[in-house]
Amino acid sequence: MHSVWRLLVLLGLLALSSALHKPHQPGLAKTHKDRKSALARIIAQGLMKHDTEGRIQNIHLLDSLNASGQMAPGMVGWLIGSMSLHHHQESSANITKAQLDYGGIQMSFHKEWFTANISLGFDIDLRLPFNNHIIKTHERMNLSVEFWLEKDEFGRRDLVIGKCHVEPRSVHTTFLTEAIPPKVNPFLRNFRDNLEKVIPHLIESQVCPLIDEILRQLDVKLLKSLMEQDIAHELNQL
């Protein structure tokens, strides 16, 4: 059985290596360098298979901000209060250039308790309605997911997936557009503050269910074997 597990892992890693060399996929420039963790590679392979970057770019950001109540007194209060409905419909906020640092997935562990940390970023093109001006921002953040194997009363191990969340302090917004009209600055500060409250939940809603699915597709014995390999590798590095 151990040989079967090793074969499955090898096939998965070979598939990942092939996927990483496809030039048309965005966000893969940094994916070759992490040779430390088979688990990290399997998570990366699964996230690429599910087109996680494409899912992030398809988030309807303005709708999400509006539904969350984070728009007023920011975008809704500022735009609708001073623009016609026709102009308001011309505003937009689109996520572009989403990148997950697949090769930078960091695994940490304590006994059979693992944490995976994933760094990701994307740009936002914010189109203002009154002059069709586009303000570009860049967002960076880290997502962390905990999982472990837990024994039941009969000594059998089950996978338990704990907290999966974007670290609030890791969320950073950078304005890439230099020529910003002064009258827009107060609105942009409000927009940035509201954005940093909403973005973590939006990213969690896209990425966390995928990680859950990826890990639960693994046989528990295979997962335990991969964990043991990661632990042995780390101990050999000490």
Side-chain angles (χ1 to χ4, degrees):
M1 290 299 293
H2 286 287
S3 61
V4 174
W5 301 338
R6 293 192 183 96
L7 177 60
L8 289 172
V9 174
L10 177 60
L11 290 174
L13 296 181
L14 288 173
L16 175 61
S17 177
S18 175
L20 293 179
H21 287 82
K22 292 181 180 179
H24 67 278
Q25 297 190 48
L28 305 185
K30 299 180 180 179
T31 55
H32 305 267
K33 301 177 182 178
D34 184 10
R35 297 183 176 89
K36 295 184 295 185
S37 171
L39 268 174
R41 289 177 173 234
I42 288 174
I43 292 172
Q45 178 187 357
L47 291 174
M48 283 187 287
K49 177 182 176 182
H50 288 288
D51 188 23
T52 307
E53 292 168 338
R55 290 170 183 247
I56 291 173
Q57 290 180 174
N58 286 333
I59 292 174
H60 298 290
L61 190 54
L62 284 187
D63 292 342
S64 299
L65 283 165
N66 191 23
S68 71
Q70 294 293 341
M71 295 280 277
M75 179 162 268
V76 166
W78 190 81
L79 288 178
I80 296 181
S82 58
M83 305 292 164
S84 68
L85 179 61
H86 172 71
H87 281 141
H88 172 57
Q89 290 174 335
E90 293 176 354
S91 63
S92 63
N94 298 318
I95 296 176
T96 65
K97 300 180 181 178
Q99 291 189 327
L100 276 75
D101 186 5
Y102 297 110
I105 295 177
Q106 298 295 318
M107 305 295 302
S108 58
F109 63 89
H110 176 69
K111 295 183 179 179
E112 292 186 346
W113 186 298
F114 273 66
T115 302
N117 294 290
I118 305 170
S119 175
L120 61 122
F122 50 84
D123 291 350
I124 295 176
D125 291 347
L126 175 62
R127 184 183 297 275
L128 302 179
F130 57 90
N131 61 1
N132 220 27
H133 193 74
I134 295 179
I135 305 293
K136 290 182 175 290
T137 75
H138 182 70
E139 312 296 322
R140 293 295 308 175
M141 65 211 67
N142 295 320
L143 181 139
S144 175
V145 57
E146 301 170 346
F147 57 96
W148 61 93
L149 294 177
E150 191 171 276
K151 289 184 179 180
D152 62 17
E153 57 182 318
F154 303 105
R156 295 173 301 195
R157 287 183 171 86
D158 289 319
L159 173 66
V160 179
I161 298 180
K163 191 174 185 180
C164 178
H165 70 296
V166 172
E167 297 283 352
R169 290 179 295 180
S170 74
V171 181
H172 296 288
T173 300
T174 303
F175 287 100
L176 304 179
T177 301
E178 296 182 358
I180 298 177
K183 67 177 181 178
V184 179
N185 285 330
F187 158 69
L188 291 181
R189 285 194 295 268
N190 201 322
F191 178 77
R192 179 191 60 199
D193 293 343
N194 292 338
L195 190 66
E196 291 181 354
K197 294 174 184 176
V198 172
I199 281 294
H201 304 295
L202 295 178
I203 297 303
E204 291 163 7
S205 70
Q206 296 298 320
V207 181
C208 292
L210 298 181
I211 295 177
D212 184 284
E213 180 179 344
I214 292 164
L215 292 175
R216 293 193 185 281
Q217 287 179 345
L218 298 176
D219 179 83
V220 171
K221 292 182 179 179
L222 171 60
L223 187 58
K224 184 176 185 296
S225 176
L226 293 172
M227 288 178 168
E228 290 172 348
Q229 289 178 31
D230 280 3
I231 292 171
H233 178 87
E234 291 297 323
L235 292 176
N236 289 336
Q237 301 301 310
L238 298 178

mmCIF file of all heavy atoms in Angstrom, residues 83-104:
data_model
loop_
_atom_site.group_PDB
_atom_site.id
_atom_site.type_symbol
_atom_site.label_atom_id
_atom_site.label_comp_id
_atom_site.label_asym_id
_atom_site.label_seq_id
_atom_site.Cartn_x
_atom_site.Cartn_y
_atom_site.Cartn_z
ATOM 1 N N MET A 83 -24.328 62.139 -8.157
ATOM 2 C CA MET A 83 -24.404 61.767 -9.566
ATOM 3 C C MET A 83 -25.807 61.276 -9.916
ATOM 4 O O MET A 83 -26.568 60.853 -9.053
ATOM 5 C CB MET A 83 -23.409 60.615 -9.873
ATOM 6 C CG MET A 83 -21.997 60.937 -9.472
ATOM 7 S SD MET A 83 -21.307 62.240 -10.489
ATOM 8 C CE MET A 83 -19.914 62.701 -9.470
ATOM 9 N N SER A 84 -26.110 61.316 -11.174
ATOM 10 C CA SER A 84 -27.358 60.722 -11.631
ATOM 11 C C SER A 84 -27.212 59.215 -11.661
ATOM 12 O O SER A 84 -26.109 58.679 -11.641
ATOM 13 C CB SER A 84 -27.695 61.219 -13.047
ATOM 14 O OG SER A 84 -26.750 60.707 -13.979
ATOM 15 N N LEU A 85 -28.339 58.503 -11.706
ATOM 16 C CA LEU A 85 -28.298 57.052 -11.781
ATOM 17 C C LEU A 85 -27.545 56.589 -13.018
ATOM 18 O O LEU A 85 -26.797 55.619 -12.987
ATOM 19 C CB LEU A 85 -29.720 56.477 -11.785
ATOM 20 C CG LEU A 85 -29.842 54.944 -11.876
ATOM 21 C CD1 LEU A 85 -29.163 54.306 -10.669
ATOM 22 C CD2 LEU A 85 -31.307 54.531 -11.952
ATOM 23 N N HIS A 86 -27.711 57.310 -14.106
ATOM 24 C CA HIS A 86 -27.015 56.946 -15.345
ATOM 25 C C HIS A 86 -25.512 56.978 -15.134
ATOM 26 O O HIS A 86 -24.782 56.063 -15.520
ATOM 27 C CB HIS A 86 -27.410 57.907 -16.462
ATOM 28 C CG HIS A 86 -26.594 57.718 -17.718
ATOM 29 N ND1 HIS A 86 -26.745 56.622 -18.530
ATOM 30 C CD2 HIS A 86 -25.617 58.491 -18.277
ATOM 31 C CE1 HIS A 86 -25.902 56.721 -19.554
ATOM 32 N NE2 HIS A 86 -25.217 57.844 -19.427
ATOM 33 N N HIS A 87 -25.007 58.016 -14.477
ATOM 34 C CA HIS A 87 -23.572 58.097 -14.229
ATOM 35 C C HIS A 87 -23.120 57.018 -13.259
ATOM 36 O O HIS A 87 -22.045 56.456 -13.395
ATOM 37 C CB HIS A 87 -23.219 59.474 -13.672
ATOM 38 C CG HIS A 87 -23.156 60.534 -14.723
ATOM 39 N ND1 HIS A 87 -23.621 61.808 -14.528
ATOM 40 C CD2 HIS A 87 -22.702 60.492 -15.997
ATOM 41 C CE1 HIS A 87 -23.438 62.527 -15.628
ATOM 42 N NE2 HIS A 87 -22.895 61.739 -16.533
ATOM 43 N N HIS A 88 -23.952 56.748 -12.258
ATOM 44 C CA HIS A 88 -23.576 55.717 -11.290
ATOM 45 C C HIS A 88 -23.379 54.369 -11.969
ATOM 46 O O HIS A 88 -22.485 53.600 -11.618
ATOM 47 C CB HIS A 88 -24.651 55.612 -10.213
ATOM 48 C CG HIS A 88 -24.447 54.459 -9.281
ATOM 49 N ND1 HIS A 88 -23.303 54.289 -8.541
ATOM 50 C CD2 HIS A 88 -25.248 53.398 -9.003
ATOM 51 C CE1 HIS A 88 -23.399 53.189 -7.823
ATOM 52 N NE2 HIS A 88 -24.567 52.622 -8.095
ATOM 53 N N GLN A 89 -24.187 54.083 -12.991
ATOM 54 C CA GLN A 89 -24.074 52.805 -13.669
ATOM 55 C C GLN A 89 -22.773 52.700 -14.455
ATOM 56 O O GLN A 89 -22.357 51.606 -14.802
ATOM 57 C CB GLN A 89 -25.277 52.617 -14.598
ATOM 58 C CG GLN A 89 -26.588 52.402 -13.834
ATOM 59 C CD GLN A 89 -27.778 52.369 -14.754
ATOM 60 O OE1 GLN A 89 -27.745 52.932 -15.855
ATOM 61 N NE2 GLN A 89 -28.850 51.726 -14.330
ATOM 62 N N GLU A 90 -22.132 53.802 -14.730
ATOM 63 C CA GLU A 90 -20.885 53.775 -15.484
ATOM 64 C C GLU A 90 -19.680 53.510 -14.588
ATOM 65 O O GLU A 90 -18.584 53.261 -15.081
ATOM 66 C CB GLU A 90 -20.695 55.111 -16.215
ATOM 67 C CG GLU A 90 -21.721 55.345 -17.324
ATOM 68 C CD GLU A 90 -21.578 56.717 -17.954
ATOM 69 O OE1 GLU A 90 -20.770 57.516 -17.446
ATOM 70 O OE2 GLU A 90 -22.259 56.987 -18.950
ATOM 71 N N SER A 91 -19.825 53.581 -13.290
ATOM 72 C CA SER A 91 -18.714 53.293 -12.386
ATOM 73 C C SER A 91 -18.505 51.785 -12.308
ATOM 74 O O SER A 91 -19.426 50.992 -12.512
ATOM 75 C CB SER A 91 -18.994 53.864 -11.001
ATOM 76 O OG SER A 91 -20.132 53.244 -10.445
ATOM 77 N N SER A 92 -17.277 51.389 -12.016
ATOM 78 C CA SER A 92 -16.980 49.962 -11.920
ATOM 79 C C SER A 92 -15.731 49.766 -11.073
ATOM 80 O O SER A 92 -14.937 50.692 -10.873
ATOM 81 C CB SER A 92 -16.765 49.352 -13.322
ATOM 82 O OG SER A 92 -15.641 49.953 -13.953
ATOM 83 N N ALA A 93 -15.578 48.559 -10.570
ATOM 84 C CA ALA A 93 -14.375 48.169 -9.830
ATOM 85 C C ALA A 93 -14.092 46.718 -10.179
ATOM 86 O O ALA A 93 -14.779 45.806 -9.704
ATOM 87 C CB ALA A 93 -14.575 48.346 -8.325
ATOM 88 N N ASN A 94 -13.086 46.510 -11.029
ATOM 89 C CA ASN A 94 -12.787 45.177 -11.543
ATOM 90 C C ASN A 94 -11.461 44.666 -10.997
ATOM 91 O O ASN A 94 -10.456 45.380 -10.980
ATOM 92 C CB ASN A 94 -12.724 45.206 -13.073
ATOM 93 C CG ASN A 94 -14.052 45.604 -13.690
ATOM 94 O OD1 ASN A 94 -15.112 45.166 -13.248
ATOM 95 N ND2 ASN A 94 -13.996 46.453 -14.712
ATOM 96 N N ILE A 95 -11.477 43.411 -10.568
ATOM 97 C CA ILE A 95 -10.259 42.749 -10.094
ATOM 98 C C ILE A 95 -9.512 42.172 -11.289
ATOM 99 O O ILE A 95 -10.097 41.472 -12.122
ATOM 100 C CB ILE A 95 -10.597 41.646 -9.085
ATOM 101 C CG1 ILE A 95 -11.232 42.254 -7.831
ATOM 102 C CG2 ILE A 95 -9.349 40.851 -8.716
ATOM 103 C CD1 ILE A 95 -11.697 41.230 -6.810
ATOM 104 N N THR A 96 -8.224 42.472 -11.384
ATOM 105 C CA THR A 96 -7.394 41.973 -12.487
ATOM 106 C C THR A 96 -6.071 41.449 -11.940
ATOM 107 O O THR A 96 -5.703 41.708 -10.787
ATOM 108 C CB THR A 96 -7.100 43.093 -13.513
ATOM 109 O OG1 THR A 96 -6.308 44.113 -12.881
ATOM 110 C CG2 THR A 96 -8.398 43.718 -14.032
ATOM 111 N N LYS A 97 -5.354 40.707 -12.755
ATOM 112 C CA LYS A 97 -3.992 40.252 -12.459
ATOM 113 C C LYS A 97 -3.894 39.542 -11.115
ATOM 114 O O LYS A 97 -2.936 39.744 -10.359
ATOM 115 C CB LYS A 97 -2.998 41.422 -12.508
ATOM 116 C CG LYS A 97 -2.935 42.122 -13.851
ATOM 117 C CD LYS A 97 -1.940 43.264 -13.835
ATOM 118 C CE LYS A 97 -1.897 43.981 -15.168
ATOM 119 N NZ LYS A 97 -0.954 45.134 -15.153
ATOM 120 N N ALA A 98 -4.870 38.693 -10.807
ATOM 121 C CA ALA A 98 -4.810 37.926 -9.564
ATOM 122 C C ALA A 98 -3.650 36.941 -9.620
ATOM 123 O O ALA A 98 -3.438 36.267 -10.631
ATOM 124 C CB ALA A 98 -6.125 37.194 -9.329
ATOM 125 N N GLN A 99 -2.889 36.863 -8.539
ATOM 126 C CA GLN A 99 -1.732 35.971 -8.472
ATOM 127 C C GLN A 99 -1.657 35.326 -7.093
ATOM 128 O O GLN A 99 -1.597 36.020 -6.080
ATOM 129 C CB GLN A 99 -0.435 36.722 -8.756
ATOM 130 C CG GLN A 99 -0.290 37.203 -10.192
ATOM 131 C CD GLN A 99 1.104 37.755 -10.462
ATOM 132 O OE1 GLN A 99 1.725 38.323 -9.579
ATOM 133 N NE2 GLN A 99 1.579 37.580 -11.670
ATOM 134 N N LEU A 100 -1.656 34.001 -7.076
ATOM 135 C CA LEU A 100 -1.354 33.253 -5.866
ATOM 136 C C LEU A 100 0.089 32.775 -5.962
ATOM 137 O O LEU A 100 0.513 32.251 -6.986
ATOM 138 C CB LEU A 100 -2.281 32.049 -5.705
ATOM 139 C CG LEU A 100 -3.648 32.309 -5.064
ATOM 140 C CD1 LEU A 100 -4.576 33.011 -6.050
ATOM 141 C CD2 LEU A 100 -4.273 31.002 -4.588
ATOM 142 N N ASP A 101 0.826 32.970 -4.890
ATOM 143 C CA ASP A 101 2.223 32.532 -4.872
ATOM 144 C C ASP A 101 2.253 31.045 -4.528
ATOM 145 O O ASP A 101 2.557 30.649 -3.406
ATOM 146 C CB ASP A 101 3.007 33.357 -3.850
ATOM 147 C CG ASP A 101 4.498 33.055 -3.890
ATOM 148 O OD1 ASP A 101 4.923 32.276 -4.775
ATOM 149 O OD2 ASP A 101 5.244 33.567 -3.042
ATOM 150 N N TYR A 102 1.923 30.212 -5.540
ATOM 151 C CA TYR A 102 1.813 28.779 -5.311
ATOM 152 C C TYR A 102 3.108 28.191 -4.746
ATOM 153 O O TYR A 102 3.092 27.400 -3.818
ATOM 154 C CB TYR A 102 1.466 28.065 -6.623
ATOM 155 C CG TYR A 102 0.134 28.452 -7.204
ATOM 156 C CD1 TYR A 102 0.054 29.199 -8.376
ATOM 157 C CD2 TYR A 102 -1.045 28.058 -6.597
ATOM 158 C CE1 TYR A 102 -1.169 29.536 -8.922
ATOM 159 C CE2 TYR A 102 -2.275 28.399 -7.138
ATOM 160 C CZ TYR A 102 -2.330 29.135 -8.302
ATOM 161 O OH TYR A 102 -3.541 29.477 -8.843
ATOM 162 N N GLY A 103 4.232 28.574 -5.324
ATOM 163 C CA GLY A 103 5.508 28.038 -4.885
ATOM 164 C C GLY A 103 5.926 28.534 -3.523
ATOM 165 O O GLY A 103 6.826 27.981 -2.905
ATOM 166 N N GLY A 104 5.273 29.593 -3.039
ATOM 167 C CA GLY A 104 5.622 30.146 -1.737
ATOM 168 C C GLY A 104 4.730 29.661 -0.616
ATOM 169 O O GLY A 104 4.783 30.200 0.490
#
